[in-house]
Amino acid sequence: MLDFLWNLGSFAIALGVLITAHEYGHFWVARRCGVKVERFSIGFGKAIWRKVGADGTEYVLALIPLGGYVKMLDERVEDVPEELKSQAFNRKSVWQRIAIVGAGPMANFIFAIFALYIMYLIGVPSIKPVIESTQDNSPAAVIQVNKPMQVIAVGEQSVRNWEEVTYALVSHIGDEHIDLTLTPVGGVMGEERSYRLDTRAWKFDPEKQSPITSLGLDIYRPQIMPELGLVSDDGAAHAAGMQVGDTLVAVNGADYQDWDTFVEQVKGSADKQMMITVRRAGEQLNLAVTPKSRVTDNGQVEGVIGVAPTQAPWPESMRLQMEYGLGESFMVAADKTWQLVSVSIKMIGKLFTGDVSVKNLSGPISIAQGAGSSANYGLVYFLGFLALISVNLGIINLLPLPVLDGGHLLYYFVEVITGRPVPEKVQEIGFRFGAAVLLMLMSIALFNDFSRL
């Protein structure tokens, strides 16, 4: 219940901030083009707060926080007094109307730069993208790894951490090959090596895999210790008396080997009692643990006991603090925003070509979970999440669907070319078509959300 409330609260804050940024873009440019703005509303439905400003605009906070709008004076919607007609939206030039409509998505991109700018000023602790091996019979098997190697570029895109590697790899879904550039950890200039990975048969499920591991790259991780770092309250281990801090000594009378072996032993013992020996405060204890059974997505039954190990600290050479000064932070933030825009546009294109499944579409539930998770990690991660969603909101609004900003822009550019507005009957048909497509996409996204719960 607490997780639900945290996710809901984080989602409401994120959505409120992004909608405000988007609508303020329309509002700000409309005012500068001489259009009278009657209402600036965040949310739909019944108003829970309202105020009329000195500028005559009614500012509203409404009950349903799933959108917002800027209501401008418009003769196509209502009768306008003669003395106010010069302030009506429809009386403005086509280029002014284009500027007003395009300002919403543009504000989302500007907000993304601002959020990332603050994030980089604060500093983002990160980990360098280092691999320790590659998997046989995988696209990455062509890479020869004799010692830990750091990925420094994917294609022509330089990368500094695993997040950037992930975004860069995702943008290459559907390509016949991916070029990776690596260098030995602690290496010197000139030791870089480039590899071309054959990805014609590369497929992965984003819900179950990362593009990194699905390519066959084994991420470097510090040594896993035999000491327990987590024991779930509702797990079999807790019921048997295991505690955080216990050190694994033996399993069924045989010495503990390593964590991977221990996991396989547990998986193969569903509903079967195991004798696990642990060391606690200098004493050895023999505990009878019966793993609970669960069915995997492949239909296999495996055992789980609800524990996780501790991990040795990351070496300082692997750590990365992405922190910049006042000027450099802006440049890095702008570059990062451009990367997010590029990846998002490529992903939309790959949805239409079939390289990316519609199963990957996410709706409000997934976004709420992402908001809660990022907020849980701290402000810098929440800012990064806001930037990502803001970019996606801006791009989606630019899609040429008549109910979105992009659809209005399409009509206005047709007007620029033909010299006359698109007939209202054609616009009405377009709006109905756009609403149907948008409803279909939202339904798919919601279905995907519920199927992931």
Side-chain angles (χ1 to χ4, degrees), residues 130-135 140 162 212-213 216-221:
V130 176
I131 64 171
E132 58 183 357
S133 61
T134 57
Q135 299 170 17
W162 282 118
I212 299 161
T213 55
L217 298 169
D218 291 330
I219 297 173
Y220 171 87
R221 290 184 175 86

Side-chain angles (χ1 to χ4, degrees), residues 38-322:
E38 297 182 310
R39 184 178 299 123
F40 184 118
S41 178
I42 302 303
F44 299 114
K46 184 178 180 180
I48 57 178
W49 177 86
R50 68 173 72 235
K51 179 182 179 181
V52 177
D55 54 5
T57 301
E58 181 186 29
Y59 298 90
V60 175
L61 187 62
L63 187 61
I64 306 172
L66 294 178
Y69 62 93
V70 172
K71 184 176 183 295
M72 293 173 254
L73 197 66
D74 196 322
E75 292 176 281
R76 299 168 301 174
V77 177
E78 58 189 345
D79 293 332
V80 177
E82 190 66 35
E83 65 272 16
L84 294 179
K85 286 185 177 180
S86 63
Q87 298 180 53
F89 175 80
N90 61 290
R91 291 290 181 112
K92 300 304 175 181
S93 72
V94 65
W95 287 110
Q96 286 178 311
R97 283 177 275 143
I98 287 172
I100 293 167
V101 172
M106 186 58 62
N108 284 123
F109 300 139
I110 293 172
F111 176 81
I113 295 174
F114 171 75
L116 292 171
Y117 176 74
I118 300 300
M119 185 182 81
Y120 288 126
L121 277 179
I122 296 171
V124 186
S126 192
I127 299 297
K128 294 179 182 178
V130 176
I131 64 171
E132 58 183 357
S133 61
T134 57
Q135 299 170 17
D136 295 335
N137 302 315
S138 71
V142 296
I143 301 175
Q144 301 298 316
V145 183
N146 298 318
K147 60 179 181 178
M149 303 277 285
Q150 180 177 340
V151 183
I152 58 174
V154 177
E156 297 181 358
Q157 179 65 53
S158 297
V159 291
R160 295 161 293 183
N161 57 21
W162 282 118
E163 180 189 41
E164 293 183 356
V165 172
T166 298
Y167 283 134
L169 290 177
V170 164
S171 70
H172 287 281
I173 292 174
D175 293 355
E176 293 187 353
H177 65 265
I178 298 176
D179 294 326
L180 295 184
T181 305
L182 298 92
T183 186
V185 173
V188 296
M189 188 71 69
E191 289 190 297
E192 299 90 354
R193 295 288 183 270
S194 294
Y195 300 89
R196 174 156 290 187
L197 280 57
D198 185 343
T199 53
R200 286 174 293 183
W202 177 42
K203 294 185 182 300
F204 79 99
D205 185 345
E207 294 180 27
K208 302 174 185 176
Q209 299 172 288
S210 78
I212 299 161
T213 55
S214 65
L215 276 175
L217 298 169
D218 291 330
I219 297 173
Y220 171 87
R221 290 184 175 86
Q223 181 183 0
I224 294 176
M225 312 300 287
E227 181 180 324
L228 299 183
L230 174 105
V231 178
S232 299
D233 291 341
D234 58 351
H238 182 269
M242 297 181 76
Q243 299 178 8
V244 171
D246 286 352
T247 299
L248 299 172
V249 176
V251 180
N252 292 331
D255 290 345
Y256 170 85
Q257 297 179 41
D258 55 55
W259 184 258
D260 290 338
T261 302
F262 176 66
V263 169
E264 291 304 316
Q265 290 172 316
V266 171
K267 284 182 176 180
S269 302
D271 298 320
K272 299 176 184 177
Q273 189 179 86
M274 304 174 66
M275 292 303 299
I276 300 179
T277 305
V278 300
R279 183 181 298 109
R280 182 188 304 163
E283 279 187 63
Q284 287 196 6
L285 304 173
N286 295 315
L287 303 174
V289 184
T290 303
K292 297 179 181 180
S293 62
R294 71 176 175 190
V295 180
T296 67
D297 293 334
N298 298 327
Q300 297 179 333
V301 177
E302 63 181 21
V304 291
I305 62 173
V307 296
T310 56
Q311 196 175 51
W314 283 93
E316 281 301 318
S317 60
M318 301 287 184
R319 295 177 183 270
L320 177 66
Q321 182 70 10
M322 298 175 68

